[in-house]
Amino acid sequence: MRWQTRGTCRNHDPELFFPPDDSQGLDDAPAVQQQVAAARRVCRFCPVQRECLVWALDSGEDHGVWAATIPGERRLMRRLRLAGAAASFGDATSCPACSLLFPIPAVDGELCPACVERRAA
């Protein structure tokens, strides 16, 4: 994982990227949402975001913020990838964050939360 030495996150407290998660039932708390948003800001322009996302998806990482994605987003990406999403959508309009790894059309015409945040920045 040599890519990790080039990650923007290397200069930040690792705890930033691991807020309380789903199993603790705290992910809707304002403090947790602020922490996730802060972690996503660090990830947003990271030079190794693609490598980070590939690793998180391939390893089944189900905790923390990786490549500006949270566990639920990565679970959806893994399900779509297993369902053959990469091969079946061709030239469909893709969500820029999700297409870091494979093209996923915007769900119901909407971008994923990471892309909505990127667009707002």
Side-chain angles (χ1 to χ4, degrees):
M1 291 194 297
R2 296 162 69 191
W3 58 267
Q4 286 185 330
T5 62
R6 298 188 327 268
T8 305
C9 59
R10 73 185 179 284
N11 298 320
H12 295 272
D13 181 356
E15 292 295 317
L16 173 65
F17 301 94
F18 293 94
D21 62 18
D22 299 331
S23 64
Q24 296 170 336
L26 300 172
D27 50 327
D28 289 332
V32 172
Q33 293 300 316
Q34 290 172 350
Q35 186 174 344
V36 168
R40 286 183 193 228
R41 282 191 296 274
V42 172
C43 296
R44 185 176 297 130
F45 300 107
C46 182
V48 295
Q49 189 176 22
R50 176 183 169 81
E51 292 89 341
C52 182
L53 181 58
V54 168
W55 184 86
L57 291 172
D58 288 349
S59 68
E61 183 59 61
D62 208 25
H63 299 283
V65 177
W66 294 84
T69 65
I70 57 175
E73 293 165 345
R74 291 191 302 275
R75 285 190 293 272
L76 174 61
M77 288 178 187
R78 281 192 297 272
R79 282 193 305 268
L80 289 170
R81 184 167 70 171
L82 287 171
S88 63
F89 292 120
D91 294 331
T93 302
S94 298
C95 176
C98 301
S99 66
L100 288 170
L101 184 58
F102 52 88
I104 296 177
V107 178
D108 297 328
E110 297 295 324
L111 299 176
C112 76
C115 288
V116 169
E117 186 176 322
R118 278 191 191 91
R119 183 172 278 179

